[in-house]
Amino acid sequence: DIQVTQSPSSLSASVGDRVTITCRASQDINNFLAWFQQKPGKAPKPLIYAASSLQSGVPSKFSGSGSGTDFTLTISSLQPEDFATYYCQQYKSYPVTFGQGTRLEIK
Amino acid sequence: EVQLVDSGGGLVQPGGSLRLSCAASGFTFSDHYMDWVRQAPGKGLEWVARTRGKANRYTTEYAASVRGRFTISRDDSKNSLYLQMNSLKIEDTAVYYCARVFSSAIRYFDLWGRGTLVTVSS
């Protein structure tokens, strides 16, 4: 199985900050990586697919980069609604696997 | 409106069975692979199962943790996805989400249901 490791597991930031979350795959997954945002009690919301393509309707403050084994999600100009948990997901091979999540909290 | 509505969750004893359903609307259901993803209380996301469409002969994939106990199926005439869960274990307790796969080439989840809670407890 391809393991996907996110870091950090939690992150404190202030409104207006720019933050970066990292996802590392245990083997080369090309660009078969997606990012999701999840708020308490809600379903995950897709943000990024193919490592850097923005899901329709998602603001451009979210951006993704990377290829192979190392990927990043960057959120610029944090707003109160951005504080949530973020997950990466690899879909290169079965089983589909998710990172353990990064909880983004208000400082 | 494009949406997935999952249902069928509830309280079941260990060793019991439950069938989850997911009703799709607003898109051509038969064009998409469909999956189930679960989330145990306070934990991360875990992929459970996938069913491909008619073009791929409705072939399926399962996570090792549920293989042999869970069966994913679909009825394209009813725009519906199902998950038959047998021999349930306490560790199967989770919110179960149905999720649409964007395309056969870009296999990420672009649409999610709201989730249905399954609690396995005596």
Side-chain angles (χ1 to χ4, degrees), chain B residues 11-28:
Chain B
L11 175 63
V12 60
Q13 292 187 335
S17 298
L18 207 57
R19 189 194 197 206
L20 306 184
S21 299
C22 172
S25 59
F27 65 96
T28 305

Side-chain angles (χ1 to χ4, degrees), chain B residues 19-42:
Chain B
R19 189 194 197 206
L20 306 184
S21 299
C22 172
S25 59
F27 65 96
T28 305
F29 180 74
S30 59
D31 283 351
H32 292 268
Y33 297 0
M34 294 295 299
D35 289 35
W36 290 97
V37 177
R38 68 184 180 182
Q39 187 169 36

Side-chain angles (χ1 to χ4, degrees), chain A residues 6-66:
Chain A
Q6 275 182 248
S7 61
S9 57
S10 64
L11 178 59
S12 293
S14 300
V15 172
D17 284 355
R18 171 180 163 137
V19 298
T20 297
I21 299 168
T22 296
C23 186
R24 174 164 289 176
S26 60
Q27 58 185 268
D28 188 342
I29 59 170
N30 198 335
N31 70 336
F32 294 107
L33 188 103
W35 290 96
F36 299 89
Q37 176 195 70
Q38 188 179 33
K39 297 182 178 179
K42 300 294 186 181
K45 173 186 175 183
L47 300 173
I48 301 281
Y49 65 94
S52 60
S53 296
L54 201 63
Q55 169 82 3
S56 176
V58 173
S60 58
K61 62 188 300 180
F62 294 93
S63 63
S65 66

Side-chain angles (χ1 to χ4, degrees), chain B residues 68-116:
Chain B
R69 300 188 297 122
F70 290 12
T71 302
I72 188 172
S73 62
R74 62 193 294 163
D75 186 338
D76 288 352
S77 69
K78 296 182 179 179
N79 292 335
S80 292
L81 176 72
Y82 306 101
L83 185 67
Q84 178 66 43
M85 304 185 294
N86 298 332
S87 303
L88 281 160
K89 304 176 181 180
I90 291 175
E91 54 264 38
D92 293 320
T93 295
V95 174
Y96 285 72
Y97 297 99
C98 62
R100 183 180 78 174
V101 176
F102 179 66
S103 75
S104 59
I106 305 175
R107 298 179 300 277
Y108 85 108
F109 306 121
D110 72 326
L111 180 67
W112 295 67
R114 291 186 177 182
T116 186

Side-chain angles (χ1 to χ4, degrees), chain A residues 6 21 36-37 47 62 73 75 82 84-87 101-102 104:
Chain A
Q6 275 182 248
I21 299 168
F36 299 89
Q37 176 195 70
L47 300 173
F62 294 93
L73 172 70
I75 312 169
D82 300 328
T85 299
Y86 292 84
Y87 294 93
T102 295
L104 177 58

